[in-house]
């Protein structure tokens, strides 16, 4: 577990994206560090960090929306507690991609010839 302080928060935000949340039955993870953003300049956070708390408020089990609101309402210095678990993030991203592919197939009625119904998606090729 690691505590990181990002300062100062800028108009562009904290310089990272998150994914996950209780509505997705998943912890909240840092999915991307934005180049030249606050998080990249500070250097402590990395893709795959699970967000545990924001300024002392626990976000474990929270919805994505609630966690994002806590991050947005934070001013000046933002104290984050994270745990690095990249394999769990990779598994979650893979599961989300499979769900997106399934939804696209369902929306297009993709069960006819040439639809690839039943085949597994290849990485990088939705």
């Amino acid at each position: 577990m690691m505590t990181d302080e990002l300062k100062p928060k800028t108009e562009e935000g904290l310089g990272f994206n998150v994914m996950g949340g209780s509505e997705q039955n998943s912890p909240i993870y840092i999915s991307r560090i934005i180049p030249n953003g606050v998080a990249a300049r500070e250097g402590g956070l990395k893709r795959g960090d699970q967000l545990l708390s924001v300024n002392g408020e626990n976000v474990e089990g929270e919805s994505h929306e609630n966690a994002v609101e806590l991050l947005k309402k934070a001013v000046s210095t933002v104290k984050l507690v994270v745990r690095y678990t990249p394999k769990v993030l990779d598994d979650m991203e893979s599961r989300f991609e499979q769900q997106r592919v399934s939804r696209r197939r369902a929306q297009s009625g993709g069960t006819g010839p040439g639809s690839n119904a039943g085949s597994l998606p290849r990485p990088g090729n939705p």
Side-chain angles (χ1 to χ4, degrees):
M1 211 171 338
M2 179 187 88
T3 300
D4 196 20
E5 289 189 9
L6 299 178
K7 52 189 183 241
K9 181 180 175 183
T10 67
E11 295 79 35
E12 291 86 34
L14 294 167
F16 62 87
N17 294 344
V18 295
M19 67 182 296
S22 60
E23 67 279 10
Q24 298 168 352
N25 197 30
S26 168
I28 296 167
Y29 283 93
I30 295 176
S31 58
R32 178 174 178 246
I33 302 293
I34 298 168
N36 302 314
V38 174
R41 287 192 304 272
E42 297 280 329
L45 297 175
K46 53 191 163 295
R47 182 186 177 280
D49 280 340
Q50 179 185 345
L51 194 56
L52 303 175
S53 74
V54 177
N55 286 339
E57 293 195 47
N58 185 1
V59 296
E60 291 182 277
E62 284 292 331
S63 71
H64 182 89
E65 183 179 344
N66 287 347
V68 169
E69 282 304 311
L70 278 175
L71 291 165
K72 283 182 177 180
K73 80 176 187 179
V75 293
S76 189
T77 299
V78 181
K79 184 177 177 183
L80 305 173
V81 177
V82 298
R83 174 177 33 222
Y84 187 56
T85 54
K87 176 161 178 16
V88 178
L89 175 63
D90 290 342
D91 292 347
M92 184 173 70
E93 286 179 333
S94 176
R95 189 178 78 228
F96 289 162
E97 179 59 24
Q98 288 175 349
Q99 289 171 350
R100 279 192 290 268
V101 169
S102 293
R103 279 195 301 271
R104 280 189 219 131
R105 285 186 183 146
Q107 290 171 351
S108 67
T111 57
S115 69
N116 291 331
S119 65
L120 294 175
R122 293 184 183 170
N125 294 325

